[in-house]
Amino acid sequence: MQPQLTYPFNAEQILAKRKRIRRELLDSSAAWLDKRVAILGGSTTHDLRDILELFLLSHGIRAKFYESEFAQYWQDAMFPNPELEAFKPDVIWVHTSLRNFAEYEHFAQMWERLAEVYNCPIIQNNFEYPFYRLMGNREASHGKIYEVTQMNLRFAEYARTHENFYICDINWLSADFGLREWSDPFYWHMYKYALALPAVPTLAHNVANIVKSLYGKNKKAFALDLDNTLWGGIVGDDGAENIAIGQETSQGQVFSEFQAYIKAHKDLGVILNVNSKNDIANALAGLNR
């Protein structure tokens, strides 16, 4: 994988060097998996397409793209579309945002038709929250924020009950990125982008992760060191009784929290492995501790 595409990445560098990164990826000797990705957008999607291509290439997926005209996602989905039908997408990504907010049935009907006509996985954005609150805290129970929350829950329930339907969680992504920065209206009024340009790699990375998971390209194991990774200190030097783990100290709490995080992955089926220079007796003493 290109170092520029390794998380956490520098979005500005990816956007500035996209052509060189693409050329270097395509010049590699990867055994490509060729896929066709249709992007049905409710806003401008050119940069999303370009950066999504980079992340897919980094996962060994060489994509061809169909891209709808500006804000034509509904028309492309709901009416006969010889170009999209001839394209025969392997994956359809519906890139909508709060600026495309509509009744639930507007989306549910579209998903049903896409599934019927194209019979492929569908990725659907949920909705980010508005970057302002007209009624302050009351928005959470009566205003637009409440409406978005309810709609996202309905999207989630559809995903739980339908195969080949996946949520791209821009509600979480925008919160993690910073809602005001994500939704900077400058980019909408200047370029009709539903999100700020610096946020594009974050969204493209997330969509690429969904696509690669569809084709068995997820990583399925952790290889972890022990000293100063699973616990604080060096067990061979400090002794198992003196390593930092548990609730007695702030440092120990940090390592306990990390262990809980790793164990949660194990419970999902990720394999945990030890990669350590410790001899077996010291490693087991630390693990038993």
Side-chain angles (χ1 to χ4, degrees), residues 138-207:
R138 189 171 172 80
E139 283 280 327
S141 56
H142 290 80
K144 194 66 173 181
I145 289 175
Y146 174 79
E147 293 177 11
V148 170
T149 299
Q150 294 301 306
M151 183 71 83
N152 285 345
L153 288 172
R154 295 191 73 177
F155 277 32
E157 186 58 31
Y158 189 94
R160 290 171 62 90
T161 55
H162 290 77
E163 295 290 334
N164 269 350
F165 183 86
Y166 303 89
I167 296 293
C168 173
D169 189 6
I170 67 171
N171 184 263
W172 186 90
L173 292 174
S174 60
D176 183 61
F177 189 88
L179 187 54
R180 286 190 178 89
E181 289 77 13
W182 177 281
S183 301
D184 186 344
F186 168 82
Y187 291 94
W188 175 258
H189 296 299
M190 284 296 294
Y191 310 113
K192 292 298 183 282
Y193 288 180
L195 69 163
L197 185 61
V200 163
T202 296
L203 178 54
H205 174 258
N206 192 71
V207 175

Side-chain angles (χ1 to χ4, degrees), residues 40 66 68 72-73 75-87 113 117-118:
L40 308 187
Y66 170 92
S68 63
Q72 295 296 300
Y73 74 95
Q75 289 84 347
D76 274 1
M78 295 301 294
F79 300 106
N81 187 330
E83 183 181 355
L84 182 55
E85 291 168 14
F87 182 71
R113 189 172 192 283
V117 175
Y118 299 103

Side-chain angles (χ1 to χ4, degrees), residues 266-285:
K266 171 183 173 293
D267 294 341
L268 292 173
V270 175
I271 300 169
L272 306 186
N273 304 273
V274 169
N275 184 10
S276 172
K277 293 180 180 179
N278 278 308
D279 63 49
I280 291 177
N282 285 333
L284 290 176

Side-chain angles (χ1 to χ4, degrees), residues 226-227 230-231 235 239-241 243 245 259 280-289:
L226 298 176
D227 295 331
L230 288 188
W231 55 67
V235 68
E241 67 278 5
I243 59 176
I245 192 72
Q259 286 195 13
I280 291 177
N282 285 333
L284 290 176
L287 289 170
N288 288 329
R289 167 73 170 83

